[in-house]
Amino acid sequence: MSPETQASEALPSRRRRTPRGGRHRGTESFVLPPGAPPLVLAVPGSATGAGGTIAAELAVLVETEQTGQPALVGHLEGEDKSLRSVLAGVRQQRPEEPAAVVVPLLTGPHPQVDPLLREAVASAPQPVLLAEPLGPHPQIAAALHERLAEAGLARADRIRMMSMVTAASGFLVVTPGEQPALRQAEVTSVLLASRLAAPVFTALLDDPAGIDAAVRQLRDAGANRLALAPYIINGEPYREAIANAAARAGAEYAAPIGAHPALAELAALRYTEAMERALTALERR
């Protein structure tokens, strides 16, 4: 069997699946063949607290709803279930394939987390691929929309559920990080605006001047009731910052994204993309 054939067999095949009932149904799953390199969710923070719980829930969703194979979880802080120890335990099944594909549990670039990811991957004893962060993507916009709807701040869709009287008329997406993270969040904000049919602006979570400027833009656009959407997966480290940003904006706020099924689908998608890039590079040799 050629290296190209071996590598292609490790790629997930997209299959149309029967939709689940309810709002969390998806459209596709990515089925991994036995022996494929494992998908490893790389989680900022330690294994304790909300981040570990969210990652564990997403790992189950990746397996049951997407790949059909167990997903591993590695944390970037602490010794318990650390990413380095998880990568040290994986083994390369075929010489032309990576031992694992690391998918960052991030909505976009993060100046503190990104170097830790690169160091962990570079120090792995076996070749490991590093996939792109989960966002930006329309699925994250859908997850933000759903969290807003759950908080009573947006209609679940344009036809049913809530009237415009009960929904907010302007939305502020806040993200931690620096300018690269802001630019990624702005892409998702555009996608969210198209879903909500309402103005959406973006600001860094710890930038009061940026929040003030976004609020002025929303007011200028005619928004009289504001809602804040945290562009954050694990909101525990940012709980106070989110509340402070909402208070400054005079806005109500939704829950962070958390263990949303859309993130499990995106993790499988990023895995696929990383494997496809590796296969393309192999074929060009």
Side-chain angles (χ1 to χ4, degrees):
M1 183 180 294
S2 69
E4 290 81 0
T5 302
Q6 290 179 337
S8 65
E9 286 187 351
L11 285 172
S13 59
R14 297 191 186 194
R15 71 179 179 191
R16 185 69 59 178
R17 60 181 172 139
T18 302
R20 292 186 293 164
R23 292 174 297 172
H24 293 305
R25 62 182 181 273
T27 56
E28 291 182 324
S29 59
F30 301 79
V31 183
L32 289 176
L39 187 160
V40 181
L41 291 172
V43 187
S46 67
T48 60
T53 301
I54 290 169
E57 292 176 2
L58 285 173
V60 172
L61 288 172
V62 168
E63 177 182 359
T64 59
E65 298 293 326
Q66 299 299 325
T67 67
Q69 299 292 335
L72 306 179
V73 175
H75 295 264
L76 289 163
E77 294 180 13
E79 297 298 323
D80 185 25
K81 300 178 183 177
S82 71
L83 179 59
R84 288 177 182 267
S85 65
V86 170
L87 295 182
V90 298
R91 294 292 177 264
Q92 194 173 17
Q93 299 298 313
R94 300 183 179 115
E96 299 297 332
E97 293 176 2
V101 179
V102 176
V103 180
L105 197 57
L106 296 168
T107 54
H110 194 292
Q112 285 77 47
V113 175
D114 292 348
L116 299 176
L117 279 168
R118 291 192 293 268
E119 290 169 9
V121 167
S123 65
Q126 303 286 336
V128 173
L129 292 180
L130 178 59
E132 296 295 321
L134 303 182
H137 193 276
Q139 285 285 62
I140 294 186
L144 291 175
H145 185 176
E146 186 165 322
R147 295 297 183 236
L148 287 163
E150 289 168 349
L153 301 172
R155 294 181 300 178
D157 57 38
R158 298 183 183 183
I159 300 173
R160 60 184 176 85
M161 295 286 290
M162 299 181 186
S163 70
M164 286 302 292
V165 174
T166 59
S169 54
F171 299 85
L172 175 62
V173 172
V174 293
T175 180
E178 299 175 355
Q179 288 301 313
L182 180 64
R183 289 192 291 271
Q184 297 280 347
E186 285 171 345
V187 176
T188 300
S189 293
V190 171
L191 298 169
L192 181 61
S194 69
R195 296 180 61 91
L196 297 171
V200 180
F201 288 92
T202 314
L204 292 174
L205 184 60
D206 58 354
D207 179 12
I211 292 172
D212 291 346
V215 169
R216 285 194 298 271
Q217 290 174 302
L218 288 167
R219 298 298 187 193
D220 290 345
N224 51 33
R225 181 186 178 193
L226 304 185
L228 184 145
Y231 190 62
I232 300 167
I233 297 173
N234 174 20
E236 183 177 300
Y238 305 103
R239 184 181 304 173
E240 184 176 353
I242 292 169
N244 290 341
R248 186 175 189 91
E252 300 164 85
Y253 60 97
I257 299 168
H260 195 284
L263 300 188
E265 183 174 342
L266 286 176
L269 174 63
R270 297 308 187 213
Y271 175 103
T272 302
E273 292 170 342
M275 288 293 291
E276 286 176 344
R277 287 194 297 270
L279 176 59
T280 299
L282 176 64
E283 291 173 341
R284 289 174 177 173
R285 290 180 185 175

